[in-house]
Every structure is written in C-alpha cells, then in structure tokens.
Amino acid sequence: MLYEINEKALKLESEGKRIIRLNLGDPDLDTPPAIVEAAYDAMKAGKTKYSSSYGEKPLREKIAELHGVKPDNVVVTPGSKWGVFATMYLMLRNGGNVIIPTPYWTAYGLIAKSLGAETRLLKTELENDWKVDPAELEALIDKDTKMIILNNPNNPTSKVMDDKTLDGIVEVAEKRGVTILSDEVYGAIAFTKTKSILEYDGGFKHILTNGFSKTFSMTGWRIGYIVADKLLVDKITRLNQITINNVPIFIQDAALKGIELRAQIATAIKQEYEERAEVASKMLTAAGFSFSKPDAPFYVFPKKAGLNSEKFTLDLLDKGVAIAPGSSFGDYLEHFRISLTAPKEQIEEALNIICEAPK
Ligand code: PMP
C-alpha cells in the first residue's frame, strides 16, 4: 500500500495536482553544502576508481571512533538497507525464523520473505506505550530462531526504547543465544538519549546497522555501515566484493566530512524536527487523535478508533495530502503515519486537511 500511495501521488502530480508529500522518510532538507563540497573535492582529486570492499580506512576509523570500537569491526555498505539485507541474507538464507516487534519497517519482513525465512511478529500497542514485553518475546523464540530485529528509534512510531525494556530484551536474547540486529538509523538525531546495542557487549554478540541518510540528509547518496564481529564484517565484505564492490570513494569522503561536522549538523536537524513534531502534536491532540509524542525524527503514528486508514489515506490523496496507512507497518489499520519531511507551513496545511477530513 505504501508503494501504491506513492505511485498514485506521482501520477496525480504528473497531472498537475499539488500534493503535500508526507508519505516517505525522505528529508526535504538539502545535504549540507560542506558534505557536497567534500564529494566534489574528492572527485576532482581523482578518487573515482574501484577501492576496498571494507570501506576506506579513514572512514572506518572515524566510524569506529564514534562507536568506541575497532576499525576491523566496521564495514561500509551502500545504504543501511543493504547492510540490513546483507546481514539477513547471511543469517537466514538457510532458513529459520526472525522475530520482529511491530509496528515495523516492512523491508525487514519483505527481505525475510525473499530469503524464504519465517517472520514472527510481536505486536506492540500505543496503549502500552509501544513497549516490547521480554516474556512475550521469549515465548516466540525456538531452536530455529536466528535473529531478533530491533529498530530504535522506531519507524513508524518515532519511539525510543526505554533502557529497562532494552535491557530485558538483551537479557532474553543472550540467555537464548539469539543475535539482535539493531537498526539505529534514527539514533543520532533522536530528541532523547537512545541506548545503543553496542553499549551491551564487547564481544559483538549483536549487530548494529546505521547510515548517513537520515542524520545528514543523504538518502540519495546510498551510504551506511555495519558494526559487528570481525567474522561477520569479513562475510559482508565478501558480499560487497561480488556485488557492489565498494561505495564510491568520493561518497565515503563526503560521509567522513559529515561525521566531522556531526555535532553541528545533528543539532540543527534535531531542532528543526522537534519544532515540526511540536506543531503536529498540538494539531493532532486538538483534533482528538491518540499518539505517542515523537522521541525522534521523522514520524508521527496517530490513531483514531474505528478508522480505516487505507480508505482514509486514499481519500486524502484526492485532497492533496499523501500519508501512509498504518497497515503498511503491520496490523494497524486504525493508525496512519505522517512523515514530517516537509517545511512547517506545509505540515500545518496538510494537518488542517487531515484533521478536517471525514474519518
Ligand atoms: N532503516 C529504517 C528503519 C528506515 O526507515 C530506513 C529508511 N526509510 C532505512 C533503514 C534505510 O536507510 P538507508 O537510506 O540508510 O538505506
């Protein structure tokens, strides 16, 4: 449905209709100029050849420093989505099951399906503050469980997991010998402190996937990374070797510049999205929607009892607003996801239409 909405929005736009697009997690903000300049400088310096499938040394070192690990534990990937895919491919291609709390970024489920692995969904609810119950999680684990996927902060709820819940999940996973893949692509720009999976073990029982798309408004550049045990890093590097070979060096140089300016860039992005989230929260509350206030960019995931969000979303497209139905993230037909990836005035305009539309 997410893709259907996007296609319909594009079609309406091509027919000349104005659509406020709040349906994707693609930031409207431009990539910071210093990052663009770094790519250009690298291209001019001739950094346009094949290179290491692990990633460039200076970037791996910088990522390692950021996460307090060794460069050997870092591999650069073409976007974090590829990192998620590569990890799932290596761990699930021979079958087994993967446990994923919902609502979830459906790419995880689609990847599992493409590998013939079973997906075991663990439903969480707004009414319970989107908390995962470690006991319920444990009940889903069996001898074929290869992996638990966490997305912290979460897309679509923008909820940051509280430390106690995360501690409980890690305890269960370690007791049962299951690896956690933690997708922390929104972590660096969360409004509240987000505990990373890397804070748990020096032995790399778990895996971090991360990227530059969200923190640095670099979605189209396609660069991300994995922090993991050296054995897995080597295996992913071998996958890089037989597929993409390497992320272009000039893009790695740009990403390196991003990390150098990280504090400044992340602060500006956080501030902008916190203001947007505040505007959206006020309007949604006044209109009687239930939701948890975002702890991070870019989403709000409101609920109205009895709502059919698929119909609601399609009707809104005809009114010039694109959002995503809750059913695109699991069993959440009464919810919808608004991406705050447009300027504040457009968000206000769209929210007026959303709040006034028949439910
Ligand atoms: N993980 C989550 C939870 C996402 O929402 C997205 C993008 N929508 C990604 C990963 C992919 O990000 P990247 O551009 O780094 O592949």
Side-chain angles (χ1 to χ4, degrees), residues 42-57:
M43 277 187 253
K44 282 190 292 188
K47 295 188 181 180
T48 53
K49 311 276 187 200
Y50 290 137
S51 91
S52 162
S53 297
Y54 280 101
E56 292 300 289
K57 194 164 173 273

Side-chain angles (χ1 to χ4, degrees), residues 59-74 227:
L59 181 60
R60 291 177 81 205
E61 283 172 356
K62 200 78 190 167
I63 294 169
E65 185 189 318
L66 191 65
H67 291 288
V69 297
K70 296 208 170 68
D72 269 359
N73 297 107
V74 177
V227 178

Side-chain angles (χ1 to χ4, degrees), residues 25 79-82 105 108 151 155 183 185-186 211-214 219 222-223 299:
S80 65
K81 197 184 216 173
W82 169 255
W105 185 47
Y108 309 132
N151 177 207
N155 171 10
D183 176 347
V185 78
Y186 301 98
F212 295 82
S213 291
K214 315 291 179 176
T219 48
R222 309 313 302 137
I223 178 160
Y299 314 105

Side-chain angles (χ1 to χ4, degrees), residues 98-174:
V98 50
I99 300 173
I100 314 170
T102 69
Y104 70 139
W105 185 47
T106 39
Y108 309 132
L110 296 172
I111 294 170
K113 197 169 163 206
S114 78
L115 297 169
E118 182 198 343
T119 300
R120 297 189 173 178
L121 301 178
L122 174 56
K123 192 170 185 195
T124 70
E125 310 266 5
L126 168 67
E127 291 70 20
N128 194 26
D129 211 16
W130 301 117
K131 278 194 173 58
V132 173
D133 177 351
E136 272 181 45
L137 175 79
E138 183 161 17
L140 290 177
I141 298 177
D142 66 15
K143 63 173 185 15
D144 295 322
T145 304
K146 301 278 170 61
M147 174 187 266
I148 297 165
I149 299 183
L150 301 181
N151 177 207
N152 188 28
N154 175 271
N155 171 10
T157 63
S158 288
K159 187 82 198 157
V160 166
M161 224 174 235
D162 64 280
D163 288 4
K164 190 165 159 263
T165 302
L166 190 57
D167 291 350
I169 295 172
V170 172
E171 197 183 316
V172 165
E174 293 186 354

Side-chain angles (χ1 to χ4, degrees), residues 197-274:
I197 197 70
L198 296 177
E199 290 177 45
Y200 285 94
D201 65 318
F204 290 109
K205 290 191 202 78
H206 307 298
I207 302 158
L208 168 79
T209 59
N210 211 331
F212 295 82
S213 291
K214 315 291 179 176
T215 312
F216 302 105
S217 304
M218 287 178 78
T219 48
W221 295 67
R222 309 313 302 137
I223 178 160
Y225 58 90
I226 287 175
V227 178
D229 177 64
K230 182 166 179 338
L231 201 64
L232 186 73
V233 163
D234 288 344
K235 284 186 184 168
I236 289 170
T237 302
R238 281 200 287 280
L239 273 187
N240 279 350
Q241 279 163 357
I242 59 168
T243 54
I244 57 111
N245 198 70
N246 62 278
V247 174
I249 312 176
F250 50 87
I251 291 179
Q252 297 193 50
D253 271 17
L256 182 63
K257 177 57 80 182
I259 300 187
E260 280 164 16
L261 302 175
R262 184 172 178 268
Q264 183 189 329
I265 293 172
T267 306
I269 289 196
K270 267 194 255 187
Q271 193 184 334
E272 177 63 32
Y273 279 98
E274 223 169 346

